Amino acid sequence: MLTRSRKGWALPESAATPKSVWLSRRRLLAAGGAGAMLAAAPGAGYLLGGGGGGQPAGMAMADEAPIAPELYPAPLNEAYELDRELTDPELATTYNNFYEFGSQKNISMAAQALRLRPWTVTIDGMVEEEITLDAEELIRRMPIEERLYRLRCVEAWAMAVPWTGFALKELVDFARPLSSAQYLVMTTFEDSSQAPGQRQFWYPWPYTEGLTMAEATNELAFIATGIYGEPMPRQNGAPLRLAVPWKYGFKSVKSIVRFSFTDQRPTTFWEEIAGQEYGFWANVNPEVPHPRWSQATERMLGTDERVPTQLFNGYGEQVAHLYDGLEGERLFM
Ligand code: MTE
C-alpha cells in the first residue's frame, strides 16, 4: 500500500502485441528451469569474470504469481531501434551475472529462491515525502512500454533484448525529489536466507548503484520489469531492474528495493570492491580498456563473432551531452 496520497496514474492501455521478430515468448516462462545452462569458467574469484560459487544447495523454487502479468506484452516504443538481432531468450535468461546467487553465470536456477511477494519499494532521501509501496502497485502506476536495447557487459560480451518497463524519469517525477538532490542511488534487496551469495561477507552488500539526476532523467534510463514480453524472471532482476544501455552492465542494478535521492555521490558496489577497475561513471568506450578486458570489441551472446564496440554503446546521440564539462572525470571505467 502506498503511504502517500496522490492522484492515481492512468493505467497504460492494454496494448496490441508488438510485431515481434523474436522467438516464442512463452519459452521464457520455463527459462528459470531451462536445461540449457551455460558452463562458466572454473576457478575461484571475487571480481567480475571470476568463477567460483556455483549452485547453492537447498534452494527452493519460488511459486508466487508473476507481478502485474496483465501488463505484458506492452506496446513497443519504436523510437529505440537495434542494429543487430535480438539475443535468443534462452541465452539471455540463463547466462547471467547476479552475485547474490553465485559468481558464475549459471545462477538462473538458484535465483528462483527469490521471493517476489511482498516486495516493498522505498523512495526516500531528499524527497518531499518518503514513499513506500509495493512493487506491483508501483509498476501498475507507471506507463509501461517495451524497448529494444543493447546490453554491454564490461567482460566484453553483449546482448540485445526487448525490455518491458518504464522510463526512470517517470519514477523520479513520482518521487518528487528536492531540487538539491544530485544523485539517485538504487539498492538491491538484502536477505542471505534467499540469496546465499550474500553470506560472502567480503562483498559490500547490498548491491548499490547510482546515477546523477541528469542521467536518471535522461530518456534512455529505464526501469525494466519484464523481458521478451513477459514479467521479469528472477535471474534477470525481478521485479525491478535498471537498464542504462550506454553504460557497462554492472551499472544495471537488479531487484531494487530502494530509490534514494542524495547530494552525495555514492560509492557503488564494484567501485568499493575494486575502485581501480570499476568507477562511478562506467560509460562504454572502445578506447579505454579495463585492466583485464580490452573493450575494443564485443562478443554477442550466442555467437563467436566479435564486433567493434561503439562509444556509449552506440547511444552517444542521446547521452554524450551529459558529460560536457566532466572531461576531468574517469568517465569510461
Ligand atoms: N545487480 C545485482 N544486484 N547483482 C549483480 O551481481 N550484476 C550486474 C548487473 N546487475 C549484478 C546486478 C552485471 S555485472 C551485469 S553484466 C548485469 O546485471 C547482467 O544482467 P543480466 O544477467 O540480466 O544479463
Side-chain angles (χ1 to χ4, degrees), residues 48 92 95-100 151 153 157 159 163 188 207 235-236 241 249-250 252-254 270:
L48 273 173
Y95 185 88
N96 300 105
N97 274 331
F98 204 167
Y99 275 60
E100 285 81 346
L151 184 146
C153 180
W157 54 264
M159 61 179 192
W163 297 120
T188 297
Y207 199 103
Q235 63 270 26
N236 291 93
R241 63 88 57 79
F250 67 85
S252 288
V253 47
K254 294 178 170 180
W270 287 107

Side-chain angles (χ1 to χ4, degrees), residues 210-232:
L211 298 172
T212 64
M213 290 301 292
E215 290 176 325
T217 54
N218 181 272
E219 57 156 313
L220 275 183
F222 197 65
I223 294 293
T225 62
I227 189 171
Y228 296 100
E230 300 282 356
M232 191 70 81

Side-chain angles (χ1 to χ4, degrees), residues 73-132:
L76 177 68
N77 183 337
E78 293 184 3
Y80 303 98
E81 293 177 346
L82 290 175
D83 62 347
R84 48 187 67 187
E85 280 185 22
L86 287 166
T87 301
D88 179 340
E90 185 143 318
L91 272 177
T93 56
T94 56
Y95 185 88
N96 300 105
N97 274 331
F98 204 167
Y99 275 60
E100 285 81 346
F101 296 98
S103 54
Q104 296 191 5
K105 300 289 184 279
N106 61 346
I107 54 72
S108 63
M109 286 286 282
Q112 303 315 305
L114 182 61
R115 288 191 294 278
L116 301 181
R117 291 174 184 273
W119 192 280
T120 304
V121 176
T122 301
I123 301 174
D124 64 2
M126 301 176 84
V127 287
E128 284 179 23
E129 273 177 291
E130 183 169 315
I131 302 171
T132 57

